[in-house]
mmCIF file of all heavy atoms in Angstrom:
data_model
loop_
_atom_site.group_PDB
_atom_site.id
_atom_site.type_symbol
_atom_site.label_atom_id
_atom_site.label_comp_id
_atom_site.label_asym_id
_atom_site.label_seq_id
_atom_site.Cartn_x
_atom_site.Cartn_y
_atom_site.Cartn_z
ATOM 1 N N TYR A 91 -17.776 53.050 30.170
ATOM 2 C CA TYR A 91 -16.496 53.406 30.771
ATOM 3 C C TYR A 91 -16.371 54.877 31.141
ATOM 4 O O TYR A 91 -15.894 55.186 32.240
ATOM 5 C CB TYR A 91 -15.324 52.981 29.881
ATOM 6 C CG TYR A 91 -15.023 51.503 29.951
ATOM 7 C CD1 TYR A 91 -14.885 50.760 28.795
ATOM 8 C CD2 TYR A 91 -14.877 50.847 31.163
ATOM 9 C CE1 TYR A 91 -14.616 49.405 28.842
ATOM 10 C CE2 TYR A 91 -14.610 49.495 31.218
ATOM 11 C CZ TYR A 91 -14.477 48.776 30.063
ATOM 12 O OH TYR A 91 -14.215 47.445 30.124
ATOM 13 N N PRO A 92 -16.758 55.816 30.285
ATOM 14 C CA PRO A 92 -16.611 57.221 30.688
ATOM 15 C C PRO A 92 -17.367 57.537 31.974
ATOM 16 O O PRO A 92 -16.823 58.167 32.884
ATOM 17 C CB PRO A 92 -17.187 58.004 29.505
ATOM 18 C CG PRO A 92 -17.094 57.077 28.353
ATOM 19 C CD PRO A 92 -17.271 55.697 28.912
ATOM 20 N N SER A 93 -18.594 57.056 32.067
ATOM 21 C CA SER A 93 -19.398 57.317 33.249
ATOM 22 C C SER A 93 -18.848 56.587 34.471
ATOM 23 O O SER A 93 -18.826 57.136 35.582
ATOM 24 C CB SER A 93 -20.845 56.898 32.988
ATOM 25 O OG SER A 93 -21.644 57.171 34.112
ATOM 26 N N LEU A 94 -18.386 55.354 34.280
ATOM 27 C CA LEU A 94 -17.827 54.601 35.400
ATOM 28 C C LEU A 94 -16.577 55.275 35.950
ATOM 29 O O LEU A 94 -16.428 55.436 37.170
ATOM 30 C CB LEU A 94 -17.519 53.163 34.969
ATOM 31 C CG LEU A 94 -18.730 52.303 34.620
ATOM 32 C CD1 LEU A 94 -18.287 50.987 33.994
ATOM 33 C CD2 LEU A 94 -19.593 52.053 35.848
ATOM 34 N N HIS A 95 -15.678 55.698 35.066
ATOM 35 C CA HIS A 95 -14.472 56.391 35.526
ATOM 36 C C HIS A 95 -14.819 57.744 36.156
ATOM 37 O O HIS A 95 -14.191 58.148 37.132
ATOM 38 C CB HIS A 95 -13.473 56.574 34.382
ATOM 39 C CG HIS A 95 -12.700 55.338 34.082
ATOM 40 N ND1 HIS A 95 -11.798 54.781 34.959
ATOM 41 C CD2 HIS A 95 -12.697 54.529 32.997
ATOM 42 C CE1 HIS A 95 -11.266 53.693 34.432
ATOM 43 N NE2 HIS A 95 -11.802 53.522 33.234
ATOM 44 N N LEU A 96 -15.808 58.420 35.600
ATOM 45 C CA LEU A 96 -16.246 59.691 36.174
ATOM 46 C C LEU A 96 -16.761 59.483 37.593
ATOM 47 O O LEU A 96 -16.428 60.248 38.503
ATOM 48 C CB LEU A 96 -17.335 60.317 35.293
ATOM 49 C CG LEU A 96 -18.001 61.580 35.819
ATOM 50 C CD1 LEU A 96 -16.975 62.699 35.979
ATOM 51 C CD2 LEU A 96 -19.132 61.995 34.885
ATOM 52 N N ASN A 97 -17.542 58.438 37.806
ATOM 53 C CA ASN A 97 -18.072 58.161 39.145
ATOM 54 C C ASN A 97 -16.939 57.858 40.134
ATOM 55 O O ASN A 97 -16.963 58.321 41.272
ATOM 56 C CB ASN A 97 -19.059 56.998 39.110
ATOM 57 C CG ASN A 97 -20.351 57.370 38.420
ATOM 58 O OD1 ASN A 97 -20.658 58.532 38.227
ATOM 59 N ND2 ASN A 97 -21.107 56.374 38.031
ATOM 60 N N ALA A 99 -13.859 58.860 39.882
ATOM 61 C CA ALA A 99 -13.157 60.132 40.093
ATOM 62 C C ALA A 99 -13.899 60.990 41.120
ATOM 63 O O ALA A 99 -13.279 61.575 42.016
ATOM 64 C CB ALA A 99 -13.012 60.883 38.767
ATOM 65 N N ALA A 100 -15.208 61.062 40.991
ATOM 66 C CA ALA A 100 -16.006 61.848 41.938
ATOM 67 C C ALA A 100 -15.884 61.275 43.348
ATOM 68 O O ALA A 100 -15.798 62.032 44.331
ATOM 69 C CB ALA A 100 -17.466 61.888 41.489
ATOM 70 N N ALA A 111 -8.413 61.080 41.719
ATOM 71 C CA ALA A 111 -9.560 61.606 40.978
ATOM 72 C C ALA A 111 -9.136 62.064 39.588
ATOM 73 O O ALA A 111 -9.797 61.754 38.596
ATOM 74 C CB ALA A 111 -10.198 62.763 41.751
ATOM 75 N N ARG A 112 -8.013 62.784 39.508
ATOM 76 C CA ARG A 112 -7.519 63.260 38.205
ATOM 77 C C ARG A 112 -7.167 62.090 37.283
ATOM 78 O O ARG A 112 -7.403 62.141 36.078
ATOM 79 C CB ARG A 112 -6.316 64.176 38.394
ATOM 80 C CG ARG A 112 -6.679 65.549 38.888
ATOM 81 C CD ARG A 112 -5.465 66.488 38.933
ATOM 82 N NE ARG A 112 -5.803 67.690 39.635
ATOM 83 C CZ ARG A 112 -5.577 67.915 40.924
ATOM 84 N NH1 ARG A 112 -4.955 67.011 41.659
ATOM 85 N NH2 ARG A 112 -5.937 69.049 41.490
ATOM 86 N N HIS A 114 -8.545 59.139 37.176
ATOM 87 C CA HIS A 114 -9.772 58.560 36.610
ATOM 88 C C HIS A 114 -10.484 59.547 35.694
ATOM 89 O O HIS A 114 -11.126 59.136 34.723
ATOM 90 C CB HIS A 114 -10.685 58.044 37.721
ATOM 91 C CG HIS A 114 -10.249 56.708 38.209
ATOM 92 N ND1 HIS A 114 -10.587 55.538 37.588
ATOM 93 C CD2 HIS A 114 -9.437 56.365 39.243
ATOM 94 C CE1 HIS A 114 -10.031 54.517 38.218
ATOM 95 N NE2 HIS A 114 -9.324 54.991 39.230
ATOM 96 N N LEU A 115 -10.353 60.828 35.964
ATOM 97 C CA LEU A 115 -10.916 61.813 35.041
ATOM 98 C C LEU A 115 -10.211 61.746 33.690
ATOM 99 O O LEU A 115 -10.855 61.874 32.642
ATOM 100 C CB LEU A 115 -10.808 63.229 35.612
ATOM 101 C CG LEU A 115 -11.929 63.634 36.543
ATOM 102 C CD1 LEU A 115 -11.630 64.987 37.170
ATOM 103 C CD2 LEU A 115 -13.252 63.654 35.814
ATOM 104 N N HIS A 116 -8.908 61.533 33.720
ATOM 105 C CA HIS A 116 -8.154 61.378 32.466
ATOM 106 C C HIS A 116 -8.694 60.173 31.687
ATOM 107 O O HIS A 116 -8.919 60.257 30.477
ATOM 108 C CB HIS A 116 -6.667 61.218 32.767
ATOM 109 C CG HIS A 116 -5.843 60.921 31.560
ATOM 110 N ND1 HIS A 116 -5.562 61.866 30.594
ATOM 111 C CD2 HIS A 116 -5.268 59.770 31.139
ATOM 112 C CE1 HIS A 116 -4.843 61.311 29.632
ATOM 113 N NE2 HIS A 116 -4.652 60.035 29.943
ATOM 114 N N ARG A 117 -8.921 59.070 32.382
ATOM 115 C CA ARG A 117 -9.470 57.876 31.729
ATOM 116 C C ARG A 117 -10.883 58.136 31.219
ATOM 117 O O ARG A 117 -11.252 57.693 30.127
ATOM 118 C CB ARG A 117 -9.474 56.704 32.692
ATOM 119 C CG ARG A 117 -8.093 56.227 33.058
ATOM 120 C CD ARG A 117 -8.154 55.130 34.077
ATOM 121 N NE ARG A 117 -6.823 54.796 34.540
ATOM 122 C CZ ARG A 117 -6.585 54.010 35.564
ATOM 123 N NH1 ARG A 117 -7.573 53.471 36.241
ATOM 124 N NH2 ARG A 117 -5.349 53.747 35.928
ATOM 125 N N ALA A 118 -11.678 58.852 32.006
ATOM 126 C CA ALA A 118 -13.052 59.172 31.584
ATOM 127 C C ALA A 118 -13.036 60.041 30.335
ATOM 128 O O ALA A 118 -13.800 59.798 29.385
ATOM 129 C CB ALA A 118 -13.790 59.887 32.716
ATOM 130 N N ARG A 119 -12.156 61.047 30.325
ATOM 131 C CA ARG A 119 -12.066 61.945 29.172
ATOM 132 C C ARG A 119 -11.654 61.180 27.918
ATOM 133 O O ARG A 119 -12.217 61.360 26.847
ATOM 134 C CB ARG A 119 -11.078 63.078 29.458
ATOM 135 C CG ARG A 119 -11.113 64.190 28.436
ATOM 136 C CD ARG A 119 -10.141 65.334 28.721
ATOM 137 N NE ARG A 119 -9.798 65.572 30.100
ATOM 138 C CZ ARG A 119 -8.654 65.175 30.681
ATOM 139 N NH1 ARG A 119 -7.743 64.514 29.995
ATOM 140 N NH2 ARG A 119 -8.416 65.442 31.949
ATOM 141 N N ARG A 120 -10.670 60.303 28.072
ATOM 142 C CA ARG A 120 -10.191 59.514 26.919
ATOM 143 C C ARG A 120 -11.300 58.592 26.407
ATOM 144 O O ARG A 120 -11.540 58.506 25.214
ATOM 145 C CB ARG A 120 -8.957 58.718 27.325
ATOM 146 C CG ARG A 120 -8.243 58.079 26.159
ATOM 147 C CD ARG A 120 -6.921 57.443 26.532
ATOM 148 N NE ARG A 120 -7.081 56.496 27.625
ATOM 149 C CZ ARG A 120 -6.326 56.439 28.709
ATOM 150 N NH1 ARG A 120 -5.326 57.285 28.857
ATOM 151 N NH2 ARG A 120 -6.530 55.551 29.653
ATOM 152 N N ALA A 121 -12.015 57.933 27.306
ATOM 153 C CA ALA A 121 -13.094 57.031 26.901
ATOM 154 C C ALA A 121 -14.279 57.805 26.317
ATOM 155 O O ALA A 121 -14.970 57.309 25.425
ATOM 156 C CB ALA A 121 -13.554 56.178 28.081
ATOM 157 N N ALA A 122 -14.502 59.023 26.791
ATOM 158 C CA ALA A 122 -15.637 59.833 26.319
ATOM 159 C C ALA A 122 -15.453 60.293 24.881
ATOM 160 O O ALA A 122 -16.427 60.663 24.220
ATOM 161 C CB ALA A 122 -15.840 61.038 27.237
ATOM 162 N N GLN A 123 -14.228 60.244 24.371
ATOM 163 C CA GLN A 123 -14.000 60.638 22.981
ATOM 164 C C GLN A 123 -14.768 59.753 22.014
ATOM 165 O O GLN A 123 -15.113 60.183 20.919
ATOM 166 C CB GLN A 123 -12.505 60.578 22.648
ATOM 167 C CG GLN A 123 -11.679 61.602 23.366
ATOM 168 C CD GLN A 123 -10.188 61.390 23.158
ATOM 169 O OE1 GLN A 123 -9.753 60.414 22.568
ATOM 170 N NE2 GLN A 123 -9.394 62.327 23.646
ATOM 171 N N LEU A 125 -17.743 58.490 22.617
ATOM 172 C CA LEU A 125 -19.192 58.623 22.775
ATOM 173 C C LEU A 125 -19.767 59.482 21.655
ATOM 174 O O LEU A 125 -19.132 60.442 21.218
ATOM 175 C CB LEU A 125 -19.531 59.264 24.120
ATOM 176 C CG LEU A 125 -19.251 58.444 25.367
ATOM 177 C CD1 LEU A 125 -19.585 59.262 26.612
ATOM 178 C CD2 LEU A 125 -20.050 57.148 25.356
ATOM 179 N N TYR A 130 -26.538 61.781 26.040
ATOM 180 C CA TYR A 130 -25.725 61.061 27.012
ATOM 181 C C TYR A 130 -24.257 61.477 26.906
ATOM 182 O O TYR A 130 -23.631 61.829 27.905
ATOM 183 C CB TYR A 130 -25.866 59.547 26.824
ATOM 184 C CG TYR A 130 -24.905 58.731 27.664
ATOM 185 C CD1 TYR A 130 -25.092 58.620 29.038
ATOM 186 C CD2 TYR A 130 -23.810 58.097 27.096
ATOM 187 C CE1 TYR A 130 -24.217 57.886 29.820
ATOM 188 C CE2 TYR A 130 -22.929 57.361 27.872
ATOM 189 C CZ TYR A 130 -23.135 57.254 29.232
ATOM 190 O OH TYR A 130 -22.257 56.532 29.994
ATOM 191 N N GLY A 131 -23.714 61.439 25.706
ATOM 192 C CA GLY A 131 -22.317 61.810 25.515
ATOM 193 C C GLY A 131 -22.042 63.239 25.930
ATOM 194 O O GLY A 131 -21.030 63.527 26.585
ATOM 195 N N THR A 132 -22.940 64.140 25.572
ATOM 196 C CA THR A 132 -22.781 65.548 25.938
ATOM 197 C C THR A 132 -22.807 65.723 27.450
ATOM 198 O O THR A 132 -21.972 66.430 28.026
ATOM 199 C CB THR A 132 -23.888 66.397 25.277
ATOM 200 O OG1 THR A 132 -23.778 66.246 23.856
ATOM 201 C CG2 THR A 132 -23.777 67.858 25.658
ATOM 202 N N ARG A 133 -23.754 65.051 28.112
ATOM 203 C CA ARG A 133 -23.872 65.162 29.562
ATOM 204 C C ARG A 133 -22.614 64.633 30.262
ATOM 205 O O ARG A 133 -22.083 65.274 31.171
ATOM 206 C CB ARG A 133 -25.113 64.414 30.060
ATOM 207 C CG ARG A 133 -25.363 64.638 31.553
ATOM 208 C CD ARG A 133 -26.574 63.884 32.075
ATOM 209 N NE ARG A 133 -26.173 62.505 32.347
ATOM 210 C CZ ARG A 133 -26.645 61.431 31.729
ATOM 211 N NH1 ARG A 133 -27.536 61.552 30.786
ATOM 212 N NH2 ARG A 133 -26.223 60.229 32.046
ATOM 213 N N VAL A 134 -22.117 63.485 29.832
ATOM 214 C CA VAL A 134 -20.925 62.906 30.457
ATOM 215 C C VAL A 134 -19.729 63.832 30.280
ATOM 216 O O VAL A 134 -18.980 64.090 31.231
ATOM 217 C CB VAL A 134 -20.630 61.493 29.907
ATOM 218 C CG1 VAL A 134 -19.257 60.998 30.342
ATOM 219 C CG2 VAL A 134 -21.714 60.512 30.347
ATOM 220 N N ARG A 135 -19.546 64.364 29.075
ATOM 221 C CA ARG A 135 -18.411 65.272 28.841
ATOM 222 C C ARG A 135 -18.530 66.541 29.699
ATOM 223 O O ARG A 135 -17.538 67.042 30.228
ATOM 224 C CB ARG A 135 -18.301 65.603 27.355
ATOM 225 C CG ARG A 135 -17.693 64.456 26.534
ATOM 226 C CD ARG A 135 -17.444 64.836 25.093
ATOM 227 N NE ARG A 135 -18.636 64.774 24.269
ATOM 228 C CZ ARG A 135 -19.082 63.663 23.684
ATOM 229 N NH1 ARG A 135 -18.435 62.532 23.824
ATOM 230 N NH2 ARG A 135 -20.160 63.683 22.946
ATOM 231 N N GLU A 136 -19.746 67.056 29.861
ATOM 232 C CA GLU A 136 -19.946 68.241 30.704
ATOM 233 C C GLU A 136 -19.621 67.928 32.163
ATOM 234 O O GLU A 136 -18.991 68.731 32.848
ATOM 235 C CB GLU A 136 -21.393 68.739 30.592
ATOM 236 C CG GLU A 136 -21.694 69.425 29.283
ATOM 237 C CD GLU A 136 -23.178 69.768 29.122
ATOM 238 O OE1 GLU A 136 -23.969 69.530 30.073
ATOM 239 O OE2 GLU A 136 -23.539 70.252 28.040
ATOM 240 N N GLU A 137 -20.041 66.768 32.627
ATOM 241 C CA GLU A 137 -19.770 66.384 34.009
ATOM 242 C C GLU A 137 -18.273 66.180 34.241
ATOM 243 O O GLU A 137 -17.768 66.499 35.326
ATOM 244 C CB GLU A 137 -20.559 65.124 34.376
ATOM 245 C CG GLU A 137 -22.049 65.379 34.481
ATOM 246 C CD GLU A 137 -22.871 64.119 34.713
ATOM 247 O OE1 GLU A 137 -22.291 63.022 34.878
ATOM 248 O OE2 GLU A 137 -24.109 64.231 34.727
ATOM 249 N N ILE A 138 -17.575 65.680 33.248
ATOM 250 C CA ILE A 138 -16.115 65.538 33.358
ATOM 251 C C ILE A 138 -15.483 66.920 33.513
ATOM 252 O O ILE A 138 -14.653 67.145 34.394
ATOM 253 C CB ILE A 138 -15.538 64.805 32.141
ATOM 254 C CG1 ILE A 138 -15.964 63.324 32.161
ATOM 255 C CG2 ILE A 138 -14.017 64.930 32.073
ATOM 256 C CD1 ILE A 138 -15.678 62.556 30.883
ATOM 257 N N ARG A 139 -15.896 67.867 32.649
ATOM 258 C CA ARG A 139 -15.346 69.242 32.728
ATOM 259 C C ARG A 139 -15.655 69.879 34.080
ATOM 260 O O ARG A 139 -14.798 70.536 34.679
ATOM 261 C CB ARG A 139 -15.885 70.088 31.590
ATOM 262 C CG ARG A 139 -15.240 69.803 30.238
ATOM 263 C CD ARG A 139 -15.639 70.830 29.185
ATOM 264 N NE ARG A 139 -17.040 70.768 28.807
ATOM 265 C CZ ARG A 139 -17.566 69.951 27.883
ATOM 266 N NH1 ARG A 139 -16.775 69.107 27.243
ATOM 267 N NH2 ARG A 139 -18.836 69.982 27.605
ATOM 268 N N GLU A 140 -16.879 69.682 34.581
ATOM 269 C CA GLU A 140 -17.262 70.266 35.870
ATOM 270 C C GLU A 140 -16.411 69.703 37.009
ATOM 271 O O GLU A 140 -15.953 70.456 37.856
ATOM 272 C CB GLU A 140 -18.744 70.001 36.143
ATOM 273 C CG GLU A 140 -19.675 70.798 35.268
ATOM 274 C CD GLU A 140 -21.130 70.383 35.432
ATOM 275 O OE1 GLU A 140 -21.445 69.578 36.336
ATOM 276 O OE2 GLU A 140 -21.953 70.838 34.609
ATOM 277 N N LEU A 141 -16.202 68.412 37.016
ATOM 278 C CA LEU A 141 -15.393 67.819 38.073
ATOM 279 C C LEU A 141 -13.937 68.248 37.957
ATOM 280 O O LEU A 141 -13.288 68.549 38.963
ATOM 281 C CB LEU A 141 -15.519 66.288 38.067
ATOM 282 C CG LEU A 141 -14.834 65.562 39.231
ATOM 283 C CD1 LEU A 141 -15.307 66.089 40.589
ATOM 284 C CD2 LEU A 141 -15.107 64.065 39.121
ATOM 285 N N GLU A 142 -13.443 68.340 36.725
ATOM 286 C CA GLU A 142 -12.061 68.825 36.519
ATOM 287 C C GLU A 142 -11.916 70.234 37.071
ATOM 288 O O GLU A 142 -10.929 70.548 37.756
ATOM 289 C CB GLU A 142 -11.710 68.803 35.037
ATOM 290 C CG GLU A 142 -11.370 67.439 34.503
ATOM 291 C CD GLU A 142 -11.137 67.430 33.001
ATOM 292 O OE1 GLU A 142 -11.749 68.227 32.256
ATOM 293 O OE2 GLU A 142 -10.325 66.593 32.572
ATOM 294 N N ALA A 143 -12.886 71.083 36.777
ATOM 295 C CA ALA A 143 -12.842 72.466 37.273
ATOM 296 C C ALA A 143 -12.874 72.495 38.795
ATOM 297 O O ALA A 143 -12.191 73.320 39.414
ATOM 298 C CB ALA A 143 -13.988 73.274 36.686
ATOM 299 N N GLY A 144 -13.616 71.623 39.390
ATOM 300 C CA GLY A 144 -13.706 71.567 40.850
ATOM 301 C C GLY A 144 -12.443 71.051 41.503
ATOM 302 O O GLY A 144 -12.214 71.285 42.698
ATOM 303 N N LEU A 145 -11.604 70.364 40.750
ATOM 304 C CA LEU A 145 -10.346 69.825 41.290
ATOM 305 C C LEU A 145 -9.166 70.752 41.100
ATOM 306 O O LEU A 145 -8.088 70.506 41.651
ATOM 307 C CB LEU A 145 -10.021 68.479 40.640
ATOM 308 C CG LEU A 145 -10.880 67.302 41.085
ATOM 309 C CD1 LEU A 145 -10.541 66.062 40.243
ATOM 310 C CD2 LEU A 145 -10.698 67.002 42.554
ATOM 311 N N GLU A 146 -9.353 71.802 40.312
ATOM 312 C CA GLU A 146 -8.238 72.731 40.068
ATOM 313 C C GLU A 146 -7.868 73.434 41.352
ATOM 314 O O GLU A 146 -8.747 73.850 42.116
ATOM 315 C CB GLU A 146 -8.613 73.743 38.980
ATOM 316 C CG GLU A 146 -8.719 73.103 37.614
ATOM 317 C CD GLU A 146 -9.101 74.091 36.533
ATOM 318 O OE1 GLU A 146 -9.293 75.290 36.834
ATOM 319 O OE2 GLU A 146 -9.243 73.654 35.387
#
Side-chain angles (χ1 to χ4, degrees):
Y91 283 130
S93 181
L94 294 171
H95 281 294
L96 174 62
N97 290 344
R112 285 186 191 95
H114 280 277
L115 275 173
H116 174 73
R117 293 176 187 170
R119 191 179 332 101
R120 191 172 54 228
Q123 292 172 354
L125 291 177
Y130 172 73
T132 300
R133 187 181 82 244
V134 169
R135 284 186 280 275
E136 286 173 4
E137 290 174 4
I138 290 169
R139 284 190 292 275
E140 289 172 8
L141 186 55
E142 282 175 329
L145 287 174
E146 290 180 0

